[in-house]
Amino acid sequence: MFKKQSSKLLQIKEISFRRESELQKLTEENLGTIFGLQFVATEYRVQNLFIDTLAFDPENKSFVIIEYKRDQSFSVVDQGFSYLSLMINNKAEFILAYNEKLKKSMGREDIDWSQARIIFIARSFTAHQKNAVNFKNMPFELWETVQFENELVQYRRIETSNSVESLQQIKNIADETQ
């Protein structure tokens, strides 16, 4: 990244986040600005799992789980499906957290569970991770975040290709061949 000064370009240096918690705090304090989401909870525990950030999407009337990563040595697919399963199988816990934090009285029928999604935020993702979420209607999003000098921070969503294949189509094809 460069800053234009007259006709010269000056490089803006990247500054690493010292800790994952630093990125998490910055993101949580700006959920509305970055994603249009409402903050519900941090380090939210359901069963034996801790969710880094629990948020709510008022436009889609759905919950969003945000997971932060310092490096690339993780699998977004298994963790994403684990969190999605946790959410769908513990709906009451999520609604209770929302109602307590935002002082509301939302019920199960007020949530569009089909719009639930998991957001992963990291400095970068591998080609395999990017490809793993490249299905139509996949409920996972990858966001790369970089911090620069001069108090600059960039959040950039990794766009998937315009894949026409969905997980449901693959299941249907597999069922047809049996």
Side-chain angles (χ1 to χ4, degrees), residues 67-124:
E67 182 67 24
Y68 307 89
K69 299 296 180 189
R70 283 185 43 98
D71 55 44
Q72 298 176 344
S73 61
F74 63 93
S75 171
V76 296
V77 175
D78 62 348
Q79 190 172 23
F81 279 120
S82 176
Y83 281 142
L84 201 56
S85 174
L86 184 73
M87 187 186 310
I88 299 305
N89 291 315
N90 295 278
K91 294 174 182 174
E93 294 284 333
F94 287 82
I95 293 169
L96 181 62
Y98 175 88
N99 288 341
E100 288 177 348
K101 174 67 179 181
L102 299 168
K103 309 293 186 233
K104 306 244 178 156
S105 59
M106 186 174 296
R108 287 181 189 217
E109 68 283 351
D110 299 321
I111 309 293
D112 184 352
W113 298 100
S114 70
Q115 297 297 311
R117 66 188 194 275
I118 314 300
I119 296 175
F120 292 93
I121 299 175
R123 168 62 190 95
S124 62

Side-chain angles (χ1 to χ4, degrees), residues 49-72:
L49 295 176
F50 284 91
I51 294 168
D52 289 345
T53 302
L54 177 59
F56 187 77
D57 181 342
E59 183 178 326
N60 292 315
K61 302 216 180 313
S62 62
F63 285 101
V64 178
I65 293 174
I66 302 175
E67 182 67 24
Y68 307 89
K69 299 296 180 189
R70 283 185 43 98
D71 55 44
Q72 298 176 344

Side-chain angles (χ1 to χ4, degrees), residues 146-170:
V146 184
Q147 180 174 238
F148 298 95
E149 63 186 352
N150 300 326
E151 303 294 317
L152 297 173
V153 179
Q154 178 186 43
Y155 285 79
R156 184 176 65 85
R157 182 176 178 179
I158 302 300
E159 296 297 330
T160 57
S161 70
N162 292 328
S163 176
V164 295
E165 296 298 324
S166 71
L167 293 176
Q168 184 59 45
Q169 288 170 311
I170 292 171

